[in-house]
Amino acid sequence: MKKLFVLLAAALLLAPVSSMAAWAPSGDVNVIVAYKAGSGTDTGARILASEAEKNIGRTLVINNLPGADGKIGWTQLVNAKPDGQTIGFINLPTFTTLAIQPDSTFSVADVVPIANHLSETGVVAVKADSPIKSLKDLVAACKEKPTMRASTNGVEASNHTAAQLLAKSAGFDYKAIPYGGTADQLLALRQGEVDFTCAKVADVAPLIKGDKPELRVLGVFSEERLPEMPDVPTLKEEGFYDKWYGAARGLVAPRGTPQEIIDFYVEAFRKTMQDPKNIEAHKKAGLNLDFKDNKQYADLIAEQENFCRDTVSKLYSK
């Protein structure tokens, strides 16, 4: 028996280190965000990263790579070494909309899902002092003046698609003005450069509160009114687009990332997003946590890819 124990001990000493311990990052983790600092994606990413570090055991360094509607950051993400030291956020449906373009520098197959982070409902908004008081006012104004301007977060990006869904369902034309991201498109509205915009609940939340709100929400892209905006009608109620529309923001890794690395991050972010402290931090920021593991997130990405092929592509056809 003593000889058997000696042999077992020797075998353990000779075993490769990788078989004795689960994978963990060897240094700071680079987290690519394809939008500028201060954007809705960036805000959520920084809250999550800060809370996740205790479960990952390393510092998560947010790397903002804005530009070209997300293409710059996402191109760098898919070309990163698949060693677990670089992961990043993608935004649906913008990512899938761009991925199916003939000249795209990336495809859906170039990323490996880790976890969904947030799901945000779309909204239609105007300046707080706008003479437009309702969705029907906005539709009437656009029908009377087809040159009404709407800021977007990029050509055919998520908020541009929201404006198209509203315009097509209501039967009006407008002029879309693309900006570098949601933060810039909202600034354009606040400064009076455009007449209206479409964004997400979390993006406008800080701008509709207080004694002197800067924006007014006219409607939400939902089948039912939102608990946080009970007085705001849905587009469906007003006779326009009758389905939910919004954005999902989640984490992915470059194609080729080993499964053990994906498993590590799935569990780390699961623990983080189920932590009461993290839940409260997101709630205070007006962010709607919506954890989905890698398999559920893969289904969502596939669903959004189909939505972009079957619905979004028709919104922009001449």
Side-chain angles (χ1 to χ4, degrees):
M1 181 65 72
K2 182 182 291 186
K3 184 176 181 181
L4 177 60
F5 283 135
V6 171
L7 290 172
L8 286 172
L12 287 172
L13 288 173
L14 293 172
V17 173
S18 60
S19 68
M20 297 176 65
W23 180 88
S26 58
D28 291 350
V29 178
N30 179 35
V31 183
I32 293 176
V33 172
Y35 296 98
K36 69 190 300 182
S39 65
T41 303
D42 175 76
T43 299
R46 289 180 186 276
I47 293 173
L48 183 64
S50 175
E51 295 294 330
E53 288 180 355
K54 61 186 176 185
N55 293 314
I56 291 176
R58 295 287 182 175
T59 300
L60 301 183
V61 181
I62 300 296
N63 184 9
N64 296 97
L65 297 173
D69 310 338
K71 293 177 188 176
I72 292 175
W74 293 330
T75 298
Q76 184 154 327
L77 173 60
V78 302
N79 287 312
K81 189 175 180 180
D83 59 0
Q85 295 302 136
T86 296
I87 59 177
F89 283 84
I90 62 170
N91 297 52
L92 301 174
T94 303
F95 179 82
T96 45
T97 299
L98 297 176
I100 65 174
Q101 300 300 317
D103 60 347
S104 180
T105 53
F106 52 83
S107 70
V108 169
D110 288 331
V111 297
V112 183
I114 295 174
N116 189 62
H117 175 209
L118 305 169
S119 291
E120 297 291 344
T121 300
V123 301
V124 183
V126 294
K127 281 189 70 177
D129 60 0
S130 170
I132 297 172
K133 306 295 184 183
S134 69
L135 275 174
K136 289 184 177 178
D137 285 349
L138 175 62
V139 170
C142 290
K143 286 183 176 180
E144 182 178 342
K145 184 182 177 184
T147 56
M148 290 278 281
R149 297 156 62 91
S151 55
T152 76
N153 56 338
V155 178
E156 297 188 21
S158 60
N159 296 336
H160 188 186
T161 293
Q164 287 291 100
L165 288 170
L166 170 61
K168 293 288 186 181
S169 65
F172 67 79
D173 293 320
Y174 70 103
K175 188 171 181 60
I177 311 297
Y179 288 83
T182 303
D184 288 339
Q185 79 165 86
L186 291 177
L187 179 60
L189 179 62
R190 292 155 59 197
Q191 293 181 160
E193 297 174 19
V194 297
D195 302 294
F196 72 99
T197 200
C198 292
K200 318 296 187 316
V201 171
D203 300 324
V204 302
L207 304 172
I208 61 175
K209 297 177 180 177
D211 296 333
K212 295 182 179 179
E214 294 186 66
L215 302 182
R216 180 192 307 127
V217 174
L218 303 180
V220 297
F221 287 81
S222 179
E223 295 186 20
E224 297 181 354
R225 293 196 180 196
L226 303 181
E228 61 268 45
M229 297 182 183
D231 298 327
V232 178
T234 68
L235 270 69
K236 181 180 179 180
E237 283 179 63
E238 300 297 284
F240 308 127
Y241 188 69
D242 62 357
K243 298 180 179 63
W244 182 89
Y245 177 77
R249 299 165 180 166
L251 287 146
V252 298
R255 178 170 60 177
T257 301
Q259 189 60 45
E260 65 174 343
I261 295 177
I262 299 299
D263 291 342
F264 170 85
Y265 280 119
V266 171
E267 288 311 306
F269 285 113
R270 183 198 305 275
K271 290 178 182 177
T272 302
M273 289 191 226
Q274 292 175 348
D275 186 324
K277 182 181 176 183
N278 180 58
I279 292 171
E280 183 61 26
H282 279 74
K283 186 177 180 180
K284 285 183 178 179
L287 298 172
N288 185 38
L289 266 176
D290 182 22
F291 173 78
K292 290 181 173 64
D293 65 22
N294 56 319
K295 293 179 181 178
Q296 294 169 318
Y297 192 35
D299 290 341
L300 178 61
I301 293 173
E303 175 188 304
Q304 288 292 293
E305 185 177 19
N306 290 333
F307 172 72
C308 290
R309 291 187 189 280
D310 300 339
T311 302
V312 175
S313 59
K314 297 174 183 176
L315 292 173
Y316 298 102
S317 60
K318 299 296 183 181

